[in-house]
Amino acid sequence: MYRILTKEMLTPTICRMKVEAPLIAAAARPGQFLMVRADEKGERVPLTISDYDAGEGSVTIVTQEIGVSTEEIVAFEAGQSFCDVTGPLGMPSEFTEMPADSLAARRYIFIAGGVGTAPVYPQAKWLHSRGVPVDVIIGAKTADLLIYRQEMAAVCDNLFFCTDDGSEGFHGMVTALLEKLVREDGRSYTQAVAIGPMVMMKFTTLTARKLALPITVSLNTLMVDGTGMCGACRVTVGGRTRFACVEGPEFDGYEVDFDEAMRRQGQFRKEEKEEMEEHECKIGRDK
Amino acid sequence: MANRIPRVPVREQDPRVRARNFDEVCYGYNEEEAFLEATRCLHCRNPRCVAACPVNLQIPDFIAKLTEKDVRGAAEVIARDSSLPAVCGRVCPQETQCEGSCVLGVKGEAVAIGKLERFVADWSREHGTSSENAAKAAPNGKKVAIVGSGPAGLACACDLAKLGYDVTIFEALHKPGGVLVYGIPEFRLPKEKVLAREIEDVRKLGVKIETNVIVGRTVTVDQLFDEKGFSAVFVGTGAGTPKFMGIPGENLCGVFSANEFLTRNNLMNAYRKDYLTPIHVGRRTCVVGGGNVAMDAARTALRLGSEVHIVYRRTEAELPARREEVHHAAEEGIVFNMLTNPVEVLGDENGWVRGLRCIRMELGEPDESGRRRPVPVEGSEFEIDADTVIMALGTSSNPLIPDTTDGLETTKRGCLVADENGATTRPGVFAGGDAVTGAATVILAMGAGRTAAKAIDEYLKKK
């Protein structure tokens, strides 16, 4: 179980894996996530499901190396197996539950940041396959770090790239591009969806509000079990405490207290740094 | 004639030493001590201890075997009624159940039934005999699904397996055991040495355990019936959703639910350097609450190097935790701040907790639980410094199964509605343990699991 069928590096630090998990593949919907525990001593790492194939019994995950646990996942090779994969977790995206006629009247703009591009893919794919107009902005620091270019182009109507350094597409932030698309190019949308770093979702929400555009965000909070038992993922949404793992991960961006969410995300930074240093020490010893 | 000697004391780790390690606090009886303690039992003709045990363990019978120095025989008696004796011998509230009703306790000290049960279970495990104790019927070809591998699910699974059913337990987490593995710490219930072995015995009865399956997400209850060929489903999903107080500042960094804190430490082994999951304790930890979970969280934080204060709104007499746990916590140096209730969690400029604003309480009239209701003393607010706060205020049921299953009614508090036999409002679906009662004890959950197993057997025989 949980054998890695394929592995490819999309950038030097972002890795895509197709993993054998037939039960999850059969049950998964856009917007949901899963937990990977790479080995016996590993953390339970929440990762958004980037694609699923019930026929093949596989799910696709995209992992960016940001710490010891994600490095550990990325170090696995095709043919090896993870110790545990659990899911699908969280609520499916709201649109998957909408009746066809109300869906028909909607026009979506997805704003994808960095590794957050991967979870946008199944959502765009789901909507596009049902004839719902979908535009996608993919943002990254530089052209080299843009992922899912071809895949996304196949599942949306208009695809826009955006880089901080101008090495590809729009030169600037995704927020500026979103504003340009609506204000200058006259494109109109009924719903925005932003998935990416917390700070990017915060500012995209501010821009969406300025444009009077409803926006959904997918919160990548800390989690331990991912099933509603620990409350590590709690976020304030509309003044109420919600558990991102079972009530989310997607929420109305206008309602989210992003500043609190960002602080809570960094709660274990000190411990993680120590773990990282120790990890590097050990690697040093091996050599 | 019973031996009129005082209760044989049990050996424990020195409090000063154990406050720095996660090794088991209580060493338990050795053979000599157990055989001596066994001689104290009066073998009442109408044993009240059996009636007071939620699984009706035949206590005088197993103790009689011990007086004959027949530990294997004692284990056989216990195995008829309990699948987790090494667990129950450690974590049951014996003082309010079997030992609480022991006749010897009226004038002196009750027989140490829990310690004797533990001795029998540990001895059997060490002598490799535990799995052979249970008798088993021939397979009847009927499949029963159990949701959750905590005490209710394990007990239900064992009884059904013994009756010849083909039983599969579905567990959401990566390790079986439920609260026994994520909630109760190593120093009260060793995970590998005791729990894993006892769960292995459950497997040896033929029970299959599938981890990483979240019923309600990975598969639904309907799929278990319609696609997977199960004839009945038992829901033993526990009470896993942590409660918070709803006071300002609860989402500050450094404020954790006891569930999070304990799950990191117990399920994910965060106290061990070689495991990757992080855990945080500051210099001074306040644990809010007075139950067993609060004691477990407090004693865990202490072992991780923090000074620890329990903050509880009533007095020591009302603490819902077991006496033994309170006593152990106090011995280890946990400070008890009684008649104290937090009204706000205070934060620093970086969004980290720096303390609790509390109000003094006094006891008023008894409430519906029979305990005197704590009432705030006006104008008595004060601050306690803390850089870690752990909320141990109880838990409520997980809504996942009722939310994804038609025909399952829940109470106002979100617990599954089930009759005295565990039958829910949907035919074929049974439930028991904390999922029905709200947070209670391991042994009550096991009792409910056994009752439901009987009801499932009757239901499937009629079908």
Side-chain angles (χ1 to χ4, degrees), chain A residues 2 23-24 26-27 32 37 39-44 68-69 72 83-92 222-225 227-236 240-243 245-246 260 263-268 270-272 274-275 278-279 282, chain B residues 170-175 182 192 210-214 217-219 223 228 239-244 249-261 263-264 267-269 272-281 349-352 391 395 398-400:
Chain A
Y2 317 128
L23 292 177
I24 304 175
Q32 292 186 297
R37 199 172 69 118
D39 68 19
E40 203 39 58
K41 293 180 176 171
E43 265 189 277
R44 292 169 66 94
V68 176
S69 292
E72 190 186 62
C83 193
D84 299 287
V85 180
T86 314
L89 291 158
M91 300 296 284
L222 295 178
M223 290 181 193
V224 185
D225 62 285
T227 65
M229 272 175 30
C230 78
C233 65
R234 59 195 196 277
V235 285
T236 303
R240 271 178 58 215
T241 294
R242 311 284 294 270
F243 285 12
C245 71
V246 286
E260 178 192 273
R263 280 196 302 269
R264 291 188 54 80
Q265 208 177 27
Q267 246 183 126
F268 288 89
K270 182 173 145 268
E271 285 80 8
E272 276 157 6
E274 284 167 11
E275 191 76 60
E278 201 171 303
H279 185 70
K282 276 186 207 146
Chain B
F170 296 100
E171 168 55 49
L173 295 174
H174 57 264
K175 251 192 221 172
Y182 74 76
E192 290 308 315
E210 288 197 26
T211 52
N212 298 327
V213 178
I214 307 136
R217 286 266 184 265
T218 318
V219 289
Q223 283 176 305
K228 311 272 177 193
T241 309
K243 288 181 188 160
F244 288 90
E250 261 182 319
N251 289 351
L252 286 164
C253 295
V255 182
F256 307 103
S257 74
N259 259 15
E260 174 180 353
F261 190 73
T263 300
R264 286 181 183 276
L267 175 73
M268 305 309 295
N269 296 95
R272 282 179 53 174
K273 270 263 163 265
D274 51 339
Y275 284 74
L276 291 182
T277 300
I279 194 160
H280 173 87
V281 282
E349 63 285 2
N350 301 314
W352 271 84
M391 293 294 179
T395 50
N398 191 311
L400 192 53

Side-chain angles (χ1 to χ4, degrees), chain B residues 34-45:
Chain B
F35 295 152
L36 183 60
E37 177 65 18
T39 61
R40 296 182 63 233
C41 179
L42 297 176
H43 296 279
C44 308
R45 194 168 303 159

Side-chain angles (χ1 to χ4, degrees), chain B residues 18 104 144 205 219 332 338-339 405 421 451:
Chain B
R18 70 180 194 238
L104 282 182
V144 181
L205 282 171
V219 289
E332 289 165 9
M338 296 293 143
L339 291 169
T405 311
N421 297 316
T451 306

